[in-house]
Amino acid sequence: MIIKDIIDEDYQDYKVPSMLIATSKCSWKCGVGCQNRPLSLQPDVNTKDSEIVDRYLRNYLTHAVVIAGLEPFDQFDELIQLVSAFRERTLDDIVIYTGYDTGEVMFMTSILMKYENIIVKFGRYVPGNEPHFDNVLGVKLSSDNQFAKRIS
């Protein structure tokens, strides 16, 4: 998968310690105020899915995978391949952060439903909206229009 970064131990995007994988594509639908603009300046890294999974499994502290900004659904074929690689070796939660609304990615989420323990955080960041606590993720989200849903 072509990514921007991996953070081996992330404690702010899900309720348990997670590996954060930052994807490399984005259509910039959120517009002004996107918190991921600096991430887009990092070089792309082409990493084998098996190496990402191995790296995750070697870390005894992490218990979930978060795939996030830029925009995971903008490289959906690679996303499915990575999820599949994880599912061959672990059933730990996989959380996918997207700026899309549910209707915009309905077809893609229907494909993801065949994998166990998939959670999707939906919704664009909207400057000026109030942050709120999301019970599914167990963390505070930046805009009150954002929410997470366990899809499988």
Side-chain angles (χ1 to χ4, degrees):
M1 178 174 213
I2 299 173
I3 61 172
K4 290 292 186 180
D5 199 6
I6 293 178
I7 298 171
D8 290 300
E9 295 162 16
D10 176 63
Y11 298 92
Q12 65 184 11
D13 296 301
Y14 192 48
K15 59 188 167 188
V16 300
S18 307
M19 170 186 268
L20 176 79
I21 302 165
T23 61
S24 66
K25 307 283 187 246
C26 192
S27 60
W28 303 111
K29 67 203 154 300
C30 297
V32 178
C34 175
Q35 62 191 19
N36 288 322
R37 290 251 181 222
L39 181 61
S40 70
L41 302 175
Q42 290 185 214
D44 289 346
V45 179
N46 193 352
T47 307
K48 291 181 181 178
D49 294 341
S50 60
E51 292 174 4
I52 296 171
V53 175
D54 288 344
R55 183 170 167 172
Y56 172 76
L57 292 173
R58 281 193 304 269
N59 188 337
Y60 67 92
L61 293 177
T62 53
H63 301 286
V65 177
V66 175
I67 305 170
L70 300 171
E71 175 53 65
F73 283 101
D74 285 353
Q75 53 190 114
F76 189 67
D77 291 340
E78 291 176 275
L79 175 64
I80 288 294
Q81 290 172 1
L82 181 61
V83 168
S84 181
F86 270 102
R87 283 298 165 256
E88 289 174 8
R89 308 213 14 228
T90 181
L91 290 176
D92 289 355
D93 285 347
I94 296 177
V95 180
I96 302 167
Y97 270 63
T98 181
Y100 287 112
D101 296 323
T102 55
E104 295 174 304
V105 290
M106 190 177 302
F107 175 73
M108 292 180 263
T109 55
S110 69
I111 293 169
L112 284 166
M113 284 179 189
K114 77 176 189 176
Y115 299 97
E116 292 183 62
N117 302 324
I118 302 293
I119 298 165
V120 180
K121 189 288 298 172
F122 296 98
R124 289 166 180 73
Y125 168 71
V126 178
N129 277 21
E130 290 295 318
H132 73 100
F133 185 82
D134 184 272
N135 289 321
V136 173
L137 297 175
V139 300
K140 191 178 276 193
L141 295 175
S142 299
S143 296
D144 57 13
N145 64 300
Q146 299 173 319
F147 66 95
K149 180 179 178 184
R150 184 175 287 277
I151 63 169
S152 64

